[in-house]
Amino acid sequence: LGGCGGVSGLSNILPSDVSAMCRAWVSGDTAEAAQMQLSFLPLIRALFAQVNPIPVKAVLASMGVCREEYRLPLCPLEDDEKAALLSVFRSAGAR
């Protein structure tokens, strides 16, 4: 989609999906890679709606991967922000 490289908060929560997208790109299936990237955009936008890594940690905690603990100056998401993020995450669905 025009980028060169990336910082992937998404790969922390959907590693298999991001790996599949990268494999598609590297193998020359740019249409599939682009389609996958576009399908992830709502979740990517939600993950970066607040300062990284706050949203990523919130999702990982909901998956049981880590505890939702932060050191200052980071702080937890507000309840409504967290509910919206987790709703987008659930609707994204891993492949």
Side-chain angles (χ1 to χ4, degrees):
L1 298 177
C4 182
V7 176
S8 182
L10 182 65
S11 65
N12 290 289
I13 61 172
L14 296 177
S16 296
D17 295 309
V18 173
S19 180
M21 181 176 61
C22 291
R23 279 193 309 276
W25 177 262
V26 169
S27 71
D29 192 352
T30 56
E32 175 64 13
Q35 184 279 321
M36 292 176 77
Q37 175 76 21
L38 290 171
S39 74
F40 295 139
L41 280 181
L43 181 55
I44 293 167
R45 287 187 179 115
L47 289 172
F48 288 95
Q50 294 292 329
V51 174
N52 190 29
I54 294 170
V56 172
K57 280 191 86 167
V59 173
L60 289 172
S62 78
M63 297 167 66
V65 174
C66 68
R67 292 187 307 250
E68 192 172 358
E69 296 177 346
Y70 302 93
R71 288 183 287 170
L72 292 174
L74 303 178
C75 59
L77 295 171
E78 297 291 330
D79 289 341
D80 59 333
E81 294 171 323
K82 185 175 175 181
L85 170 65
L86 295 178
S87 175
V88 173
F89 170 64
R90 285 189 292 274
S91 68
R95 295 178 198 280

